[in-house]
Amino acid sequence: MINAEGENVDLYIPRKCSWTSRLIEAKDHASVQMNVGHLDQAGVYTGQYTTYALSGYVRNMGDGDSALDILWTKEKAKLAQA
């Protein structure tokens, strides 16, 4: 919920899995959220990052590594990173 000043006042904002778009519940203790840093052409960190959240379901099926790889490959193409 947003108040009159435009600030978010919710106590809990649920996350969605970046791979399956499933809602990650508060009791999903196997879920992870990670930030992947962006690099410039010289391979130096630029201070920017992309956040990915993977649900426990994806990790339990053994698809976490391939899901993250495919998601980052798509994002890297958008950013025109080598």
Side-chain angles (χ1 to χ4, degrees):
M1 184 163 71
I2 298 176
N3 63 8
E5 289 83 32
E7 298 173 355
N8 195 351
V9 293
D10 288 332
L11 295 177
Y12 174 70
I13 301 172
R15 298 175 291 162
K16 287 181 80 174
C17 178
S18 300
W19 183 244
T20 62
S21 297
R22 285 183 173 201
L23 192 64
I24 298 176
E25 300 174 359
K27 293 288 183 179
D28 188 356
H29 297 295
S31 65
V32 293
Q33 180 172 327
M34 58 190 87
N35 297 328
V36 178
H38 298 184
L39 307 176
D40 62 8
Q41 294 298 328
V44 179
Y45 177 60
T46 62
Q48 298 175 336
Y49 57 87
T50 302
T51 303
Y52 295 106
L54 295 176
S55 66
Y57 171 77
V58 172
R59 297 185 66 220
N60 188 33
M61 297 299 291
D63 292 334
D65 184 40
S66 60
L68 186 63
D69 184 42
I70 293 169
L71 287 168
W72 177 243
T73 302
K74 289 179 182 178
E75 183 68 24
K76 191 167 57 170
K78 280 191 225 175
L79 296 172
Q81 245 183 359

